[in-house]
Amino acid sequence: MPGKFRESTVAEKQQSRLKPPPMYRVILLNDDYTPMEFVVIVLQQFFSKNREQATEIMLKVHREGRGVCGVYPKDIAATKVEQVVAFANEHQHPLQCVMEET
Ligand code: TYC
C-alpha cells in the first residue's frame, strides 16, 4: 500500500503488541586512573547496588576490563550512561560507560 500515512495492518499491530522492547546492557569499562571507591559509589548511586554488589562488580571490571551494571530499556540505559559519564567528568575521572543491545 503506497502513501506516507497509510493505516498499519492487523499483522503489524499484533507484532507491536506482542514484541518485548529491545533491552540494553549498561557496561562499565576499566581504566588505570579512576579510584576503586569512586566506581563503587557510582554503582550504588546510579545502579541501586548495595556496597557488596557494587564492590563485586567494580572488582570484576578491574580484573576483566568490563562488566555489566544493569539491563534496561533503551531510553533508561541511555540516561544511565549520560549520568555516569557526566558524574565522572565532574570529578575529573576518565571512567567510561557504554550501552549495547542484548
Ligand atoms: N582500575 C582502577 C584502579 O586500579 C579501578 C577501576 C575499576 C576503574 C573499575 C574503572 O570501571 C572501573 N584504580
Side-chain angles (χ1 to χ4, degrees):
M1 220 193 293
K4 204 171 175 188
F5 299 111
R6 69 171 177 72
E7 292 291 328
S8 57
T9 64
V10 171
E12 283 168 335
K13 281 178 181 159
Q14 276 295 0
Q15 192 179 49
S16 71
R17 265 186 239 131
L18 295 177
K19 223 174 53 175
M23 300 293 278
Y24 289 77
R25 287 185 283 267
V26 176
I27 309 279
L28 271 185
L29 303 179
N30 189 36
D31 66 72
D32 292 339
Y33 304 104
T34 304
M36 290 183 172
E37 176 60 23
F38 185 82
V39 179
V40 171
I41 289 167
V42 164
L43 286 159
Q44 292 180 98
Q45 195 157 307
F46 297 105
F47 299 97
S48 307
K49 305 301 182 190
N50 65 36
R51 184 127 192 123
E52 292 67 40
Q53 297 167 324
T55 302
E56 210 172 284
I57 294 169
M58 181 280 294
L59 285 173
K60 183 187 169 71
V61 176
H62 176 69
R63 292 182 184 129
E64 298 178 17
R66 49 182 270 150
V68 178
C69 310
V71 179
Y72 307 95
K74 191 174 197 173
D75 56 339
I76 296 177
T79 301
K80 302 267 180 207
V81 169
E82 269 181 28
Q83 288 173 331
V84 170
V85 171
F87 188 61
N89 288 344
E90 276 166 34
H91 292 267
Q92 294 173 301
H93 296 312
L95 181 63
Q96 284 304 296
C97 185
V98 297
M99 61 194 270
E100 61 182 31
E101 195 170 352
T102 59

